[in-house]
Amino acid sequence: MAMKALSKTKAATIYQVAQRAGVSIATVSRALRDSELVTEETRARVHAAAAELNFTPNRLGRSLAEGRHAANGIVFPDLVGPYYAEVVLGYEAAAAGFGSSVLILATHGRADAAAAVQELAGRVDGLAIMGQTVGDDVVERIAATGLPLVLLARDPVKDVDTIRTRNERTAQALAAHLLGHGHRTFAFLGDPGGAPDVAGRYAGIAARLRAQLVPCDLDLESGQAAARELLRDPPDAIVCANDEVALGVHLAAEAAGLRVPDDVAVTGWDDLLAARFAHLTTVSQPMRELGATAARWLDHRITERTTDPAGRATAARRRVLPTELVVRRSCGHHPPEVRT
Amino acid sequence: MAMKALSKTKAATIYQVAQRAGVSIATVSRALRDSELVTEETRARVHAAAAELNFTPNRLGRSLAEGRHAANGIVFPDLVGPYYAEVVLGYEAAAAGFGSSVLILATHGRADAAAAVQELAGRVDGLAIMGQTVGDDVVERIAATGLPLVLLARDPVKDVDTIRTRNERTAQALAAHLLGHGHRTFAFLGDPGGAPDVAGRYAGIAARLRAQLVPCDLDLESGQAAARELLRDPPDAIVCANDEVALGVHLAAEAAGLRVPDDVAVTGWDDLLAARFAHLTTVSQPMRELGATAARWLDHRITERTTDPAGRATAARRRVLPTELVVRRSCGHHPPEVRT
DNA sequence: CTGAAAGCGCTAACAT
DNA sequence: ATGTTAGCGCTTTCAG
């Protein structure tokens, strides 16, 4: 059946398909992209040839010719914790809807993060940058190239679109709730200088009550370690910058023979799946929506740019997505009708 | 200072840099890639010009010329649950170490998954495919292209490299443990026909004990729904295909006023963070390592291919990564010294 | 409807 | 050490 495959080591090109189908590469291109300028018969022949050769167009060639990557990127500090994963998933799903592939880059706090992000910038039509992955200088430099950009969970930079989640106000609500429980002494676990999100949460708390500030990274182990110290003379309540830290505190409390919330109240932020099972009072964020919105905004910018390359870009957009206090048991005892 | 930026809407090209630096594009290319064939002085001038123009090389041009994407892809069903996120993170970290960007594709069970994967195949130097995202036909077609491929958590396909995690044997250990608790009636929640992983787990369980098979998707809600039915006349123990299902059973049991493990024992698989706080007996998998191994193998294949394009490829590799039973409280009561 | 040919931005011989 | 030039694989005028 002449199904003889090529040398296994080299993908077929449009030229081979053209030759096999007995047409020009232009016709192959047209036929494969369902242009209307090809006979049904020709199209069939081309498709057959392509199938026989197992041909998939090389995106590099296509993109270079089209002048677009058909790909977007997203940069985040790490993928640990469901938090970033959810954002990325929302982003990917939305981008896929626009026909864009997505490139991910986890900086892991690497020193060469800036270079990696710049390099990524050269591969995409638009880029979402989360948190403190790179400095403002890098953001500005990339923005200056005209590449559509959107910042996530990060302080705005000049003319760049930014999407955040509500921190301060919900933190105030959390503080009020804790005060309502009768708690009077507090500690805040987290580093307000590290992430804007954390800064906002601390600001909201500090606006309502006096809390001892205990610097702490955002992972479970850091929370655990910080708590070990703190729990020797525990405050009434420990407000944690995120759920992972709070879960670490939980473990430390358990290890120290302390009960939550009787001996010490604990709260987190993010509403991870684990928070539900640790009965952790926390704050839920629309993470999926955060990512999806980013992808949508980028798509708009990209379209706007290709539609009217000359026109002045519309003003930078800002959005703060709502967050919600999720009351469970870790903040203190509630009447029985309160939700899980 | 002549720092006049270009029209904001168009990234600079190597030609503009060349002109500005008063050299040829070849020299720019050399200078920027730190070739040794440029004077220190020229290099400086080029770098200055590039900086002024805020130039970042377009990867399309570069890749097309170099004949490689410097990017790898990974395909998974979804990113929900820390499971896939961890695998992806391990993959990304390792790939970054090899200088490759990574493209992600979540199929979400979409009908056009095959087309999306094929398209992705045209963008990368190597591709990792997880689980039942696409059929064997697609895998074979892509493999026939010569594109390095590695299958994760999926049954092997002809000459394609495959990495899995140990399911059957550890499931047998789990079964033995449950029998040791004195449990005598069992249910298995999951669909062995859906994922090879689940099939392996079920096979291991079924090898040791008789369990009622209750088909169930792999998410929390499905587990919850399936359990609601099942818990009307609960078996001694419910073995779940993964942690999310088990957590769903937990919630259903709680809602039904049943205690775990006293009224019904429950086990999961994956050892999610939440499992720890739900005191769930489960099985831990080296997910990060799964992803990292995939990236390493791909890098080898890619190197092998470019080093010796003619040579016959080495035989397909197979690897099964070890998994570990994690005993907590949900499977039954243990003497106090048993770990959390 | 189809083909020839000019790029897209960059690298890598090959000259000089 | 630097410049010229030919592609890389594809899309897209521009001519038939």
Side-chain angles (χ1 to χ4, degrees), chain A residues 110, chain B residues 70-72 89-102 291-292 295-296 299:
Chain A
R110 288 187 305 216
Chain B
N72 286 11
L89 183 62
Y91 185 80
E92 195 273 347
F98 297 126
S100 282
S101 296
V102 359
R296 275 196 298 271
D299 184 64

Side-chain angles (χ1 to χ4, degrees), chain B residues 183-337:
Chain B
H183 301 309
R184 288 300 172 262
T185 60
F186 303 89
F188 181 92
L189 256 61
D191 177 13
D197 272 339
V198 176
R201 291 165 202 174
Y202 178 66
I205 294 293
R208 294 297 186 93
L209 50 80
R210 276 173 38 85
Q212 176 194 358
L213 182 57
V214 182
C216 174
D217 281 346
L218 294 176
D219 56 280
L220 188 139
E221 288 70 26
S222 301
Q224 207 168 2
R228 264 194 287 267
E229 188 88 0
L230 189 62
L231 289 175
R232 282 192 249 170
D233 179 19
D236 295 343
I238 301 179
V239 178
C240 301
N242 75 2
D243 279 354
E244 292 181 74
V245 171
L247 293 170
V249 172
H250 244 279
L251 294 177
E254 193 173 318
L258 298 173
R259 287 164 309 158
V260 174
D262 304 79
D263 299 318
V264 59
V266 179
T267 68
W269 200 288
D270 284 348
D271 196 20
L272 304 187
L273 182 59
R276 184 165 176 182
F277 292 91
H279 307 290
L280 190 63
T281 289
T282 183
V283 174
S284 72
Q285 308 196 74
M287 307 185 269
R288 212 106 151 185
E289 184 55 25
L290 186 62
T293 305
R296 275 196 298 271
W297 283 18
L298 282 178
D299 184 64
H300 285 152
R301 288 286 185 203
I302 294 165
T303 307
E304 160 185 296
R305 210 164 80 109
T306 57
T307 302
D308 175 21
R312 204 95 196 73
T314 18
R317 302 178 69 176
R318 300 280 132 91
R319 178 116 96 211
V320 177
L321 300 177
T323 56
E324 196 185 349
L325 183 60
V326 177
V327 176
R328 297 202 180 92
R329 303 209 290 255
S330 72
C331 54
H333 291 288
H334 299 86
E337 74 278 2

Side-chain angles (χ1 to χ4, degrees), chain B residues 128-142:
Chain B
I129 300 180
M130 290 199 73
Q132 301 312 87
T133 44
V134 287
D136 284 2
D137 53 332
V138 178
V139 173
E140 282 167 10
R141 202 172 314 135
I142 295 175

Side-chain angles (χ1 to χ4, degrees), chain A residues 183 185-188 212 230-231 233-239 263-265:
Chain A
H183 301 308
T185 60
F186 302 90
F188 181 90
Q212 176 192 359
L230 188 62
L231 289 175
D233 178 19
D236 294 344
I238 300 179
V239 178
D263 299 317
V264 59

Side-chain angles (χ1 to χ4, degrees), chain B residues 26-40 43:
Chain B
T27 300
V28 173
S29 177
R30 293 191 190 103
L32 260 28
R33 335 193 45 254
D34 290 315
S35 156
E36 319 199 311
L37 302 75
V38 241
T39 327
E40 194 45 60
R43 180 198 315 288

Side-chain angles (χ1 to χ4, degrees), chain A residues 200-218:
Chain A
R201 291 164 202 174
Y202 178 66
I205 294 295
R208 295 298 187 93
L209 49 80
R210 277 172 38 84
Q212 176 192 359
L213 181 57
V214 181
C216 174
D217 281 346
L218 293 175

